[in-house]
Amino acid sequence: MVKYIIDSEVSEEIQEIINSGFIENNDTVIICCPTHVFQSEFKKFSVYTYTTCRYRLLNKIKQFSYLFYLMVKFRPDVIFSGYPLLKHRITSLLSLGRVKHYSYLRGLFADPKNYKGFSDFLYLKLLNYPKLLKICNFQCDRIFTVSKINVDFLIARGVLPLLITLIPPPWLKLIKKRREDNLDCAGGKGYIYFVTQAFSSHSFKDAAASQIKFALKIKGYLDADCIDLIIRKHPRDYTNYEGLGFFVNKVSSYDFISSLNVNDILISPFSTLAAEASYFGIRVIFYSSLELDNIYSKIYERLGIKPFYKAEDVCNEITLFQSDNNYGPDLKEIFFND
């Protein structure tokens, strides 16, 4: 029997860690998450929640302190995180290796040479001290991930291949069944969604500003034609889009993808959601900017995607998409399929 602390800021990560065969029925599970992430299905486990505030540094200190407290209190065998953060590595290392750190990476990573934020700069500083690299984000004891793109990213960041396990995305099978049972997915009124990324949360301030600017420009063009642009926010994007005059879709990730129909259109940079939508035949228009190119140009080149740089061109592309259901890039092969 193994005792786990599952620590994540995203409800889907927790759900999939619990339900995807990583954990046996007789294992002990303690969940640590923000209050707003809590789901009713977590009640069958011991759950410890905390509130967050607007100040990022205070949140990080609070999250690390709470996780360390739970490790001391429960003495788990494994801390199982979604995205691996510095708090997970430090907590594991402070146990002197007794507590292992596993990570489940469901999101897609674009470029291993994208260095931004404290954890990445720490990694660069420690490259000349290999024995100290264990403290860095991706240096887990085991990593489970859903795409060869991520495997390449991890190896480039110094992760040993034998520590990486490639798995099919566990949520896509569930959503496929939902979509088969939902006749509305086959047609109906199409909506236009602008997919955001959590640039601010990952210290890409210029990209975050560019994202808002681009969305406002597209909104201006579509408003002139009485067409709504609906924001689909990344779970870690805390921008107040309602205050900017947007409609915001707030349903869960599973419900959102399950309900998309063939006439819907997503406007997105490279993102996990764009790949999920393409997997189910939903059309995606990729956009970029000079700021976003610093993050995504390599992955666009790898996948043969030619993004649009002007809001007017995106809106013209929407017209083409609405007249041709087979138009647009196909990203179905991004996810691992055994």
Side-chain angles (χ1 to χ4, degrees), residues 179-189 258-264 280 282 325:
R179 291 182 60 82
E180 288 171 351
D181 294 337
N182 183 2
L183 297 180
D184 291 339
C185 293
K189 180 180 178 180
S258 297
S259 65
L260 287 172
N261 78 61
V262 295
N263 295 319
D264 291 328
F280 291 112
I282 308 301
N325 283 347

Side-chain angles (χ1 to χ4, degrees), residues 7-19:
D7 181 80
S8 176
E9 300 167 36
V10 179
S11 61
E12 288 83 4
E13 289 177 347
I14 299 173
Q15 289 170 307
E16 289 159 21
I17 290 171
I18 291 170
N19 297 321

Side-chain angles (χ1 to χ4, degrees), residues 108-127:
L108 299 173
F109 293 82
D111 185 352
K113 294 185 178 179
N114 249 331
Y115 301 115
K116 203 75 172 178
F118 175 77
S119 295
D120 283 347
F121 288 123
L122 179 64
Y123 169 76
L124 292 174
K125 290 288 185 183
L126 295 178
L127 278 176

Side-chain angles (χ1 to χ4, degrees), residues 15 68 82 95 130 132 151 154 178 226 231 237 249 259 308:
Q15 289 170 307
F68 184 73
S95 77
L132 297 179
V151 173
L154 292 167
R178 283 191 185 186
C226 298
I231 296 292
D237 179 7
N249 179 286
S259 65
F308 294 91

